């Protein structure tokens, strides 16, 4: 079963039967961990072994390595998108900044996986659209509250934050400082004399 993009709703297509869904979820979680620890070249046999399923089970769900990459990537995008809703009850600035920090962490840890996918692929575009759609309400809410400058849009913010993740830093604290500087730039500017 390949991960075809559904016409509407979520990005992923999980099996309907409970036992198949458990194996699918176990394989995706194991692959996420394995790719994070050992890189995207981790063998599918190792992933199946670590998930405690047979290699045939892995191939039934993910006929190709790319299918597994896509499933892990989609699962992470959906979690990031859900996290925007989790933050909706926070004050507008805190909600936006909290989500952008999660986005920085997500981009930083998923770069190698994203590079395995073709950036012009339908899956990549749909995932990008879902992330933008998750962040847009947080940005609009912060702008309405007057805590984010009105002359920006979600594309500007996404490019700003994505660009920060490309910077090679010497320590995690430096990334945090650079992110804070960028976030300060989103605040409304005092009128110039």
């Amino acid at each position: 079963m390949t991960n075809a993009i559904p016409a509407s709703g979520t990005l992923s297509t999980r099996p309907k039967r409970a036992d198949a869904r458990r194996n699918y979820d176990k394989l995706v979680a194991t692959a996420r961990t394995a790719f994070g620890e050992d890189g995207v070249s981790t063998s599918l046999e190792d992933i199946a072994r670590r998930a405690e399923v047979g290699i045939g089970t892995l191939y039934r769900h993910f006929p190709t390595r790319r299918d597994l990459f896509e499933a892990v990537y989609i699962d992470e995008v959906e979690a990031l998108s859900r996290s925007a809703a989790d933050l909706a009850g926070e004050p507008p600035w805190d909600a936006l900044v909290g989500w952008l920090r999660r986005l920085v962490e997500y981009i930083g840890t998923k770069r190698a996986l994203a590079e395995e996918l073709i950036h012009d692929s339908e899956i990549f575009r749909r995932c990008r659209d879902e992330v933008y759609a998750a962040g847009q309400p947080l940005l609009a809410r912060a702008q309405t509250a007057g805590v984010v400058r009105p002359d920006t849009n979600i594309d500007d913010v996404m490019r700003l934050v994505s660009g920060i993740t490309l910077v090679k830093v010497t320590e995690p604290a430096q990334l945090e400082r650079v992110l804070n500087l960028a976030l300060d730039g989103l605040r409304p500017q005092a009128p110039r004399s």
Side-chain angles (χ1 to χ4, degrees), residues 2 12 17 29 31-32 41 63 76 85 90 97 123 132 135 181 183:
T2 180
S12 63
R17 275 188 16 234
R32 179 185 318 107
S41 61
E76 290 294 312
E90 298 292 320
V97 169
I123 290 284
Y132 274 53
L181 287 169
L183 293 173

Side-chain angles (χ1 to χ4, degrees), residues 81-98:
S81 296
R82 283 189 307 271
S83 75
D86 296 342
L87 292 165
E90 298 292 320
W93 176 256
D94 295 342
L96 177 64
V97 169

Side-chain angles (χ1 to χ4, degrees), residues 125-139:
R125 280 192 300 276
R126 291 282 303 272
C127 287
R128 179 184 174 275
D129 290 348
E130 179 158 323
V131 170
Y132 274 53
Q136 174 59 41
L138 296 174
L139 175 63

Side-chain angles (χ1 to χ4, degrees), residues 123-193:
I123 290 284
F124 194 85
R125 280 192 300 276
R126 291 282 303 272
C127 287
R128 179 184 174 275
D129 290 348
E130 179 158 323
V131 170
Y132 274 53
Q136 174 59 41
L138 296 174
L139 175 63
R141 186 169 159 247
Q143 287 173 317
T144 299
V147 295
V148 169
R149 51 194 300 166
D151 63 339
T152 190
N153 60 46
I154 191 66
D155 190 51
D156 294 341
V157 173
M158 295 298 286
R159 288 176 189 276
L160 175 74
V161 172
S162 296
I164 290 169
T165 66
L166 296 174
V167 175
K168 300 286 187 224
V169 295
T170 57
E171 57 180 290
Q174 185 180 26
L175 180 63
E176 183 69 19
R177 287 190 307 272
V178 171
L179 179 59
N180 286 335
L181 287 169
L183 293 173
D184 283 345
L186 290 177
R187 292 192 182 270
Q189 304 299 302
R192 295 183 182 169
S193 318

Side-chain angles (χ1 to χ4, degrees), residues 12 20 37 62 65 79 85 104 114 142 182 188-189:
S12 63
E37 291 172 354
F62 310 105
R65 175 178 283 278
V104 166
Q189 304 299 302

Side-chain angles (χ1 to χ4, degrees), residues 65-125:
R65 175 178 283 278
R66 181 181 171 93
D67 291 329
L68 185 55
F69 286 153
E70 288 177 355
V72 171
Y73 191 74
I74 287 168
D75 192 62
E76 290 294 312
V77 165
E78 288 176 340
L80 178 64
S81 296
R82 283 189 307 271
S83 75
D86 296 342
L87 292 165
E90 298 292 320
W93 176 256
D94 295 342
L96 177 64
V97 169
W99 188 76
L100 291 174
R101 289 185 189 288
R102 290 179 185 182
L103 178 65
V104 166
E105 181 182 328
Y106 164 78
I107 292 172
T109 60
K110 299 304 172 212
R111 184 166 315 287
L113 189 58
E115 288 171 3
E116 289 295 319
L117 299 173
I118 299 171
H119 289 275
D120 289 337
S121 74
E122 180 66 16
I123 290 284
F124 194 85
R125 280 192 300 276

